[in-house]
Each structure stands twice: as C-alpha cells, then as structure tokens.
Amino acid sequence: MKRKRIYIAYTGGTIGMKKSSQGYVPAAGFLTETVKNSAEFNRDEMPLFDIEEYCPLIDSSDMSPAHWQMIADDIKSKYHDYDGFVVLHGTDTMAYTASALSFMFENLTKPVIITGSQIPLSQLRSDGQVNLLNAMYLAANYPIAEVSLFFNNQLFRGNRATKIHADGFNAFDSPNLPPLAKAGINIRLLEGQLSPYIDNDLQVSRITPQAIAVLHLYPGISADVVSSIINDDIKALILLSFGVGNAPQNHEFLELLANANERGIIVVNLTQCLQGQVNMGGYATGNALLNVGVISGYDMTLEACLSKLHYLLSKNASPQSIRHLMQDNLRGELSR
C-alpha cells in the first residue's frame, strides 16, 4: 500500500528548543535534523513526511490571530499535496490555536493535529518524540477529519482541549468531551470518526484581531472595575462566572451589562469551573444575567469561546446574528 505523506509545520515551541545560559531557546534547523535522522520516524510503518520550520520561530506566548491566519493559509497552500497535517506548537497557547483553526477551516476532509512537548527533543526524557511520532501515525492511519490536539497518548478535539497542567506530561484535558482516541498498546477510537479522503476544496475563513475582553468574577468585585473593562472599545465580553453561570445581583453591575448589550457588545457567560456547563435558568442570580441580554456559552472552553468570537466578529455580522451563532454548535465546540 502506498505510504501516506504528512506535512509538518514547526511553528515554534519547546519541542525544538536547546539549552542555553539563558534557559531553553529556539534552535533553527535542530528539530528538522533530529527527526530526519531518527530511525523511529523513518520506519516503513510511518508515513513519509516533509518538515517546514517557520522563520522566525514563534514562542507560543507571542501567538496572535495573525499567526493563526498564517498557519491556516500555510496548510491551505499545501492541502492537495499531503494526506494529513501536523502542527508543532508551544503548549501555552496550543489550545487557542487548535480552537481557532477549527473555526477557520471549512470543508476540512483531512486530519490536522497539533502537538508539542513539555521537554525539548534535545533533552533526556523528552515527551516530544512520542507526541510527534503518534501524531504523524494517527494522521496517516486514523484520519479524523477535524482539527485535533495530541498530547500524552490522547487525541482531543481541538476546540474542546485546554491546558490543565503547567509542567506535567498530562498537560491537556478535554473536560466536557471524551478524547477522540487513546494511544496505548493499541489505538482506540472513542469519539473520533474516521473519514474517507474527499477532494472538497478547503476554504479558510479570514480572522482579523478583535477587541474582546475577559472578566473573571470574584467575591466583592466592584462596579468600577467592571466599568473600566466594559468600554466602547470592546466588541465582546466573556464573563467567567460562578458555578452554573451565577453572578452578583448588584444593580449597578447588571445595569452595566444591560447597557453593554444595548450598545451591541456581545456578552457571553462561561463558568469558572473546569467541568459542567452554564445554566442561567437554574438560579435567580443566573436568571438576572439572562434578563439583561447575557448569552450562555454552555460548556465551551475559554479558548473555544474566544476564538469563536474572533471568527464570527471577523465576518462583520450583526450582533443579533453573532449572539445566535455563539449558541449554535458549529464545530463540535459545545454540547447542545
């Protein structure tokens, strides 16, 4: 059987870094040389591959919507030349990029897997080799035609993943959706659906930077603090509320949200809890938010909600249309 061909985009991140007197730093060419000279990556059971290193390499803390666009456009330009795609990325904002790409790609019929590592390939005990090798193998032999994130032997839906551990190998989880697949002695598909290769034309929606604020509620938060965040410069506000979507029933606070809604600012309610979803009808404190025009984000991750807002706001749709679409399940990002 003809070996599949995988395109690997190394955008940056820990996986390709080397140690210096200032700590780990990007090392151009190191990752490509290491992978191409490794017997494991060149076995007959593995797909053929090409690696392209971005120049300059991007620290994931510096990732922006412009970089999401660059990665999406890169994959689109090579879409018909490869059977699957692996994006190597720093872990800190990996879930944001995975979420954004999931919304940007229309008619995706090939796997796009984002991965990286907590320890560089250059160091003993690196998790990078296992993560990259499995991502390539899955992309070739278990083609799940969506944007996913592979880490620590689990394949997650990209827009359901979130970073949960700063320095552990189990850096990511998908709190409200089981993994798509698990890689143990055998690879087990759980939620993922294999799809045949179809020659649909991939469409890439353009994303432009949007003014989106995130407000993390805490006991005793003042109206002045809220007012300083909800200004005329923002187009959307993500409210990280308590429990199932509860917030203070402070009149001044609710009035600020009502005024924001009237000015066309999209206000989305997400829970601070790692698992579960917003239900603003459950308590009076949540219902008060509903009455001033706040919409539910259900069980979306912050990363998915933020990138979905970027995606929809970039289309210049009306606030009413965006509020409706934010509550629709567009790419499997929420449970509805």
Side-chain angles (χ1 to χ4, degrees):
M1 188 171 66
K2 184 180 177 183
R3 288 169 74 182
K4 300 288 179 60
R5 182 174 289 275
I6 302 298
Y7 172 69
I8 303 170
Y10 174 41
T11 68
T14 298
I15 191 168
M17 290 185 175
K18 297 181 80 171
K19 207 166 192 176
S20 75
S21 57
Q22 287 81 41
Y24 293 127
V25 294
F30 168 73
L31 181 132
T32 299
E33 182 182 354
T34 301
V35 175
K36 286 190 172 180
N37 292 331
S38 170
E40 290 296 306
F41 289 99
N42 292 281
R43 293 170 63 107
D44 290 341
E45 304 97 310
M46 289 294 291
L48 301 171
F49 62 90
D50 293 311
I51 302 177
E52 184 167 316
E53 295 194 7
Y54 283 20
C55 184
L57 294 169
I58 310 156
D59 188 288
S60 69
S61 297
D62 292 325
M63 276 285 169
S64 69
H67 293 118
W68 300 340
Q69 192 70 55
M70 181 171 66
I71 296 167
D73 290 342
D74 181 27
I75 289 172
K76 183 184 179 184
S77 71
K78 299 173 175 68
Y79 194 68
H80 292 292
D81 300 327
Y82 296 91
D83 299 301
F85 301 85
V86 173
V87 178
L88 296 177
H89 193 290
T91 59
D92 286 348
T93 60
M94 186 184 291
Y96 288 95
T97 298
S99 295
L101 291 179
S102 78
F103 294 114
M104 296 171 75
F105 288 140
E106 313 267 359
N107 301 327
L108 186 65
T109 59
K110 298 178 182 181
V112 176
I113 303 178
I114 303 181
T115 192
S117 70
Q118 293 285 63
I119 300 177
L121 276 175
S122 61
Q123 300 301 301
L124 184 68
R125 297 180 55 250
S126 172
D127 55 329
Q129 180 170 356
V130 172
N131 286 344
L132 176 54
L133 189 142
N134 275 285
M136 292 168 60
Y137 188 83
L138 285 163
N141 298 293
Y142 292 82
I144 299 172
E146 59 178 277
V147 178
S148 56
L149 187 156
F150 185 86
F151 223 87
N152 194 37
N153 295 316
Q154 297 187 93
L155 183 72
F156 304 107
R157 175 167 291 157
N159 57 36
R160 291 291 195 132
T162 190
K163 189 172 183 182
I164 62 161
H165 204 302
D167 55 8
F169 287 147
N170 58 331
F172 291 88
D173 198 1
S174 176
N176 291 306
L177 184 77
L180 301 179
K182 285 191 175 183
I185 293 175
N186 298 304
I187 292 173
R188 290 188 298 129
L189 288 180
L190 301 175
E191 290 283 326
Q193 297 293 318
L194 299 186
S195 63
Y197 290 116
I198 306 168
D199 282 334
N200 281 357
D201 287 334
L202 177 70
Q203 302 297 319
V204 174
S205 293
R206 300 208 69 76
I207 278 188
T208 51
Q210 302 294 326
I212 301 168
V214 180
L215 176 61
H216 193 291
L217 295 183
Y218 54 85
I221 189 169
S222 72
D224 287 341
V225 169
V226 177
S227 179
S228 69
I229 293 171
I230 306 177
N231 55 56
D232 289 330
D233 293 330
I234 67 169
K235 294 182 179 179
L237 172 71
I238 300 173
L239 196 66
L240 295 174
S241 61
F242 307 124
V244 291
N246 300 313
Q249 292 196 74
N250 177 285
H251 174 73
E252 198 174 354
F253 169 70
L254 293 173
E255 190 174 4
L256 285 166
L257 295 178
N259 290 338
N261 181 62
E262 289 170 8
R263 300 199 311 271
I265 296 172
I266 317 299
V267 185
V268 186
N269 188 5
L270 294 183
T271 175
Q272 296 175 14
C273 301
L274 192 59
Q275 286 186 295
Q277 65 176 300
V278 165
N279 174 18
M280 289 190 286
Y283 296 88
T285 48
N287 198 54
L289 295 177
L290 196 62
N291 291 336
V292 295
V294 177
I295 62 172
S296 175
Y298 299 98
D299 60 349
M300 275 191 288
T301 62
L302 172 61
E303 296 92 334
C305 186
L306 184 86
S307 57
K308 187 176 182 180
L309 281 167
H310 271 285
Y311 165 71
L312 293 173
L313 287 165
S314 296
K315 291 183 175 295
N316 295 317
S318 68
Q320 183 179 357
S321 175
I322 292 174
R323 289 188 185 100
H324 175 76
L325 290 168
M326 281 301 295
Q327 297 175 94
D328 281 351
N329 187 19
L330 303 182
R331 302 284 193 278
E333 72 279 5
L334 55 83
S335 303
R336 270 200 83 185

